[in-house]
């Protein structure tokens, strides 16, 4: 019976919208995985700690009212990139070693550029 039941165009639009959102999520996950792989392949030596550092990074978010620290999945962003974090836009000012003792990850220093557009 379900093969012959009528489906409204609104139901089809909802289904297509859900599929497009799911496809976008999968594409974003694939993009993150490709970035990790590229960062790992760029490492010389193949050291386990170094590959862990390529797959994660820390961020120091600099705001006029103070600083915040976060741990992030994926390779660090490039210097000059603009990133939106908590509805604010930050400029990646520089990259350096993690401020945490014994941490092989890179640290990205982000400076508040402007409030994020709504």
């Amino acid at each position: 019976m379900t093969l012959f039941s009528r489906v409204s165009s609104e139901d089809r639009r909802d289904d297509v919208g859900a599929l497009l959102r799911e496809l976008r999520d999968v594409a974003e996950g694939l993009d993150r995985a490709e970035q990790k792989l590229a960062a790992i392949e760029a490492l010389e030596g193949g050291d386990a700690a170094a590959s862990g550092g390529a797959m994660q990074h820390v961020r120091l978010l600099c705001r006029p009212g103070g600083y915040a620290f976060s741990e992030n999945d994926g390779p660090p962003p490039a210097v000059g990139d603009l990133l939106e974090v908590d509805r604010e836009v930050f400029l990646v000012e520089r990259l350096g070693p993690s401020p945490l003792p014994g941490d092989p990850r890179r640290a990205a220093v982000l400076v508040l550029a402007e409030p994020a557009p709504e």
Side-chain angles (χ1 to χ4, degrees):
M1 291 297 289
T2 59
L3 289 175
F4 301 106
S5 64
R6 290 187 176 250
V7 177
S8 72
S9 61
E10 186 175 318
D11 288 340
R12 276 188 244 143
R13 268 185 253 127
D14 290 344
D15 290 344
V16 169
L19 289 172
L20 287 174
R21 284 189 295 278
E22 185 178 346
L23 183 58
R24 210 174 352 225
D25 291 344
V26 169
E28 288 172 3
L30 179 60
D31 186 47
R32 284 191 301 273
E34 287 174 341
Q35 289 174 1
K36 287 180 185 181
L37 180 60
I40 290 168
E41 289 174 343
L43 292 174
E44 294 181 21
D47 164 346
S51 66
M55 292 190 292
Q56 295 181 341
H57 67 280
V58 295
R59 292 179 182 171
L60 179 63
L61 304 169
C62 304
R63 295 181 177 100
Y67 300 93
F69 181 80
S70 69
E71 297 178 295
N72 299 89
D73 194 27
V79 173
D81 281 356
L82 291 175
L83 304 176
E84 186 175 333
V85 179
D86 297 331
R87 300 178 56 103
E88 296 175 307
V89 176
F90 288 85
L91 172 69
V92 179
E93 184 176 277
R94 68 180 182 267
L95 297 175
S98 171
L100 301 172
D103 187 358
R105 297 175 293 182
R106 302 283 291 159
V109 177
L110 281 63
V111 178
L112 185 63
E114 60 186 64
E118 292 188 29

